[in-house]
Amino acid sequence: MRHLFRTQYRQDIALFRHNGDRFWYGLLVVLVLIAPQVLGEFYIGELGAVFIFAIAGVGLMLLVGYTGLISLGHAAFLGIGAYFNAVLLAQGVPFLVTLPLAGLFTALCGAAIGRPTLRMSGLYLAIATLAFGSIVGTVFQKWTAVTGGFDGFAVPTPYVFGIPVDGATGIYYVSLVVLLFVLWISANLLRSPVGRAMVAIRDSEVSAQSMGINLAWYKTLAFAISAGMTGLAGALFAHYVRYLAPDAFDVLLSVQFVTIVFIGGLGSLRGAILGAMFVRLLPQLIAIVRDDLPFGIGRLPGLEPSLFGLVLVLVILFQPGGLNGMWLKVKSWFQEFPFKRQAGFRRQKSYAKSERLR
């Protein structure tokens, strides 16, 4: 226990704080690896979708949660990665080449949109990224020679070392590998001077600039990294849906990505995964209990987005730390039991109240 609460710089920058983390994360990876042998095809497909959304959520978390730059156009980056990957596959390029190229090309697009919006922040940046998403959506619709327009684009079956990656299980394992890679890259990035510069920009741009941080460079880099990870998710999303259409990458999908970040918990990679689980599994839960809801609530139009909006408002008001904050409170309660301190569990709520009065 002394080792658990020891405060050292080496412990702060470590990927795992102590041996307990190594054990539990290792056990989680083992359970995830054997899940396809236990669960049915439907559940594996949904978990694969959770992994894909978690990849995009991690990318957006680096931009919003760690750099403080809001984006409502990440569905466009997802679409760019999906179409770029599908078009290259149709030309006969191997999947192990198209996947990283999709991420690289989307990163360049992210840098291109990040550079001219450097002087924007807050609502103005959100509007600019929303306009970018609308422009990209129009390109998907009108560039029929490449995207197929509204007729859609059939995604070819990918092959990894001659093995076809088709079905829910294949996409599940490929998405899991990419998610682990993205988490490893993100964790190491946040421990580096680049990650610390991004956090400094989020906390105060004036202070960061006074310390010699090049705001233009790091903001552009944050946009590029975030878009590149979303492009990787888009390449996998193309194989998950198997048929691309422009209306799949609308503003509602961008709002879902933002919901992942806020409900999961700003400034937390774990929060991006928890938020992706919530966003992908809540619609399935609604579909299961819809017919059993009283007073005809299940038949009301717009039930799903209404619940998303309600949960998002409740999280912002009463649990600003999101699902990750709730997890940290529960974890701290068990670690300190029976010597728990009630003030420590009320501190975040009182801080949120003071913020609302500002």
Side-chain angles (χ1 to χ4, degrees), residues 108-142:
L108 295 177
C109 294
I113 186 60
R115 189 67 183 181
T117 58
L118 292 177
R119 295 185 179 274
M120 299 181 183
S121 61
L123 180 62
Y124 299 101
L125 179 59
I127 293 175
T129 54
L130 182 63
F132 169 75
S134 178
I135 293 172
V136 172
T138 303
V139 172
F140 290 159
Q141 297 170 12
K142 303 299 182 181

Side-chain angles (χ1 to χ4, degrees), residues 268-313:
S268 166
L269 298 179
R270 185 190 299 113
I273 299 175
L274 295 175
M277 294 174 61
F278 176 86
V279 168
R280 284 299 306 182
L281 299 183
L282 179 62
Q284 303 302 328
L285 178 62
I286 294 175
I288 293 174
V289 304
R290 181 184 292 271
D291 295 334
D292 298 328
L293 294 177
F295 310 113
I297 296 177
R299 297 179 178 85
L300 293 176
L303 176 63
E304 182 180 317
S306 299
L307 282 178
F308 273 116
L310 177 62
V311 171
L312 183 59
V313 170

Side-chain angles (χ1 to χ4, degrees), residues 148-212:
F150 287 106
D151 293 334
F153 188 95
V155 181
T157 300
Y159 288 82
V160 177
F161 301 116
I163 303 173
V165 182
D166 54 355
T169 303
I171 300 301
Y172 174 91
Y173 280 119
V174 173
S175 302
L176 175 61
V177 171
V178 176
L179 175 60
L180 293 177
F181 172 76
V182 166
L183 287 173
W184 178 72
I185 288 292
S186 301
N188 282 280
L189 176 69
L190 293 173
R191 297 189 305 158
S192 68
V194 174
R196 297 182 183 276
M198 291 163 57
V199 173
I201 293 174
R202 177 198 65 187
D203 293 340
S204 174
E205 290 190 9
V206 176
S207 300
Q209 195 170 21
S210 67
M211 291 186 293

